[in-house]
């Protein structure tokens, strides 16, 4: 992570990163561990989570790491993970809502939600709400929501969030990432309205080789699709290490304003060695849609924020 600017951030004490076993989550966890944080790796697979812990320990032998079992496709698992974390720690300083799936064939979560909406967005909404008291116990709590450049072309269909009328893989993915951006902005507004010290920051990785593209190619077109996506990543994508830079800055830079959106500083935000303010699409500025999505999310997940 040598490309991160020196002395640009202050370390949190306790941080939870979802989807920490690979890709952006693993590099973000490493970056936080390098800054002295207690890093809790939220992972669906204990085996892959432990492999990520071993990988980080190879680079930061003294890293203080914990594994937290969490399946974002199951809201009961999300609730259990939040309860377990609350039992381990009285305070949570940073929550990085990173885990996700991308452009997969239509499938449903355990709770009956379209998987991209359910995993990428709704589970993170519920997790944040269930950990809110632990976050507010911190002196400077921070929530990082991970969006994507595809959010620039997305729209949130409030009357068809599950894609029951019309489902498109790319459309559903763009909706889920725009929902994360809307959520991050709305959380910032609500925190400020209530005079809370919580800061909500949103970040995207640009075009980064996280492994999601390879899995997407395989799920949609088999081995041919997987090979094609591997080739595209080799030619055009930046590394997951670079892609994690905006996430790490979002999690640690205490000078950022509430509601800040970060991305790579390079051409069209596709690549970059540093994090910089990102373009906010017009759809993400619609406060009425953000409020409606928030209320619908509370109903769907059965979880409300203490706001």
């Amino acid at each position: 992570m040598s490309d991160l600017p020196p002395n640009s951030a202050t370390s949190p004490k306790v941080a939870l990163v979802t989807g920490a076993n690979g890709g952006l989550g693993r590099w973000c966890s490493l970056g936080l561990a390098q800054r002295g944080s207690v890093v809790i790796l939220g992972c669906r697979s204990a085996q892959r989570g432990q492999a990520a812990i071993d990988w980080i320990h190879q680079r930061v032998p003294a890293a203080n790491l914990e594994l937290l079992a969490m399946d974002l496709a199951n809201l009961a698992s999300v609730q259990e993970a939040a309860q377990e974390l609350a039992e381990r720690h009285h305070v949570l300083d940073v929550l990085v809502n990173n885990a996700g799936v991308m452009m997969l064939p239509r499938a449903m979560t355990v709770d009956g939600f379209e998987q991209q909406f359910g995993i990428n967005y709704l589970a993170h909404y519920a997790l944040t709400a269930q950990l809110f008291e632990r976050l507010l116990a911190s002196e400077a709590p921070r929530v990082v929501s991970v969006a994507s450049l595809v959010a620039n072309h997305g729209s949130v269909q409030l009357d068809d969030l599950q894609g029951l009328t019309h489902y498109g893989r790319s459309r559903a993915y763009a909706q889920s990432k725009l929902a994360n951006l809307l959520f991050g902005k709305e959380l910032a507004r609500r925190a400020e309205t209530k005079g809370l010290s919580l800061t909500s920051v949103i970040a995207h990785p640009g075009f980064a080789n996280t492994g999601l593209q390879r899995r997407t190619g395989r799920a949609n077109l088999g081995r041919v699709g997987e090979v094609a996506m591997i080739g595209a990543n080799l030619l055009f994508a930046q590394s997951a290490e670079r892609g994690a830079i905006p996430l790490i800055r979002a999690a640690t830079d205490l000078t950022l304003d509430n509601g800040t959106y970060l991305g790579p500083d390079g051409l069209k935000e596709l690549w970059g060695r540093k994090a910089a303010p990102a373009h906010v699409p017009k759809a993400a500025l619609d406060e009425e849609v953000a409020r409606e999505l928030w209320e619908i999310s509370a109903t769907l997940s059965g979880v409300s924020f203490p706001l």
Side-chain angles (χ1 to χ4, degrees):
M1 309 301 289
S2 58
D3 292 328
L4 287 166
N7 302 320
S8 65
T10 301
S11 300
K13 295 179 181 179
V14 180
L16 168 62
V17 181
T18 68
N21 55 274
L24 299 175
R26 187 174 65 172
W27 281 104
C28 183
S29 298
L30 173 63
L32 293 172
Q34 289 173 328
R35 288 155 177 77
S37 302
V38 176
V39 184
I40 304 166
L41 287 77
C43 304
R44 182 168 59 89
S45 166
Q47 181 179 3
R48 290 196 294 271
Q50 186 58 53
I53 286 177
D54 295 341
W55 181 86
I56 294 172
H57 273 148
Q58 290 173 1
R59 291 154 178 80
V60 187
N64 192 339
L65 307 173
E66 300 179 11
L67 185 60
L68 181 65
M70 181 188 308
D71 182 358
L72 294 172
N74 185 340
L75 290 178
S77 173
V78 172
Q79 182 179 16
E80 291 170 3
Q83 291 173 342
E84 182 176 342
L85 186 147
E87 291 171 0
R88 293 188 202 174
H89 297 278
H90 295 298
V91 175
L92 178 63
D93 297 283
V94 169
L95 170 60
V96 181
N97 289 323
N98 161 75
V101 294
M102 184 177 77
M103 300 181 190
L104 297 178
R106 181 178 176 82
M108 310 304 284
T109 68
V110 171
D111 305 287
F113 303 115
E114 187 278 316
Q115 64 175 338
Q116 297 190 84
F117 176 81
I119 294 172
N120 297 357
Y121 167 71
L122 189 63
H124 283 127
Y125 166 91
L127 178 65
T128 307
Q130 289 163 337
L131 291 174
F132 208 61
E133 290 186 2
R134 288 294 183 264
L135 285 162
L136 293 185
S138 170
E139 293 181 359
R142 178 164 300 230
V143 175
V144 178
S145 300
V146 179
S148 166
L149 279 173
V150 301
N152 294 349
H153 309 290
S155 62
V156 172
Q157 304 298 317
L158 293 172
D159 58 349
D160 190 26
L161 290 169
Q162 312 307 325
L164 297 176
T165 301
H166 173 72
Y167 179 77
R169 300 163 186 171
S170 298
R171 177 186 180 189
Y173 180 64
Q175 174 180 252
S176 71
K177 288 301 182 176
L178 177 58
N180 286 349
L181 183 46
L182 285 161
F183 169 72
K185 290 284 190 180
E186 181 67 8
L187 179 58
R189 282 190 290 269
R190 292 184 182 233
E192 290 184 343
T193 298
K194 294 294 184 179
L196 303 178
S197 61
L198 182 138
T199 301
S200 173
V201 182
I202 311 98
H204 78 79
F207 184 11
N209 183 1
T210 66
L212 284 179
Q213 299 94 337
R214 175 175 51 81
R215 290 192 289 274
T216 296
R218 182 174 65 243
N220 289 310
L221 296 172
R223 180 59 179 166
V224 172
E226 181 178 11
V227 171
M229 292 308 300
I230 289 173
N233 277 338
L234 289 173
L235 289 173
F236 303 113
Q238 67 177 350
S239 66
E241 178 181 9
R242 290 271 181 86
I245 290 174
L247 279 66
I248 296 170
R249 183 178 175 193
T252 60
D253 187 347
L254 301 186
T255 69
L256 295 173
D257 292 333
N258 216 347
T260 296
Y261 185 29
L262 296 174
D265 66 344
L267 178 66
K268 296 186 180 298
E269 302 176 22
L270 290 166
W271 313 284
R273 291 181 175 271
K274 296 180 180 179
H279 167 71
V280 181
K282 183 178 179 180
L285 298 174
D286 192 325
E287 296 185 15
E288 182 59 32
V289 170
R291 284 192 294 269
E292 289 188 42
L293 177 63
W294 183 287
E295 300 303 328
I296 291 171
S297 301
T299 300
L300 292 177
S301 67
V303 181
S304 297
F305 276 74
L307 286 175

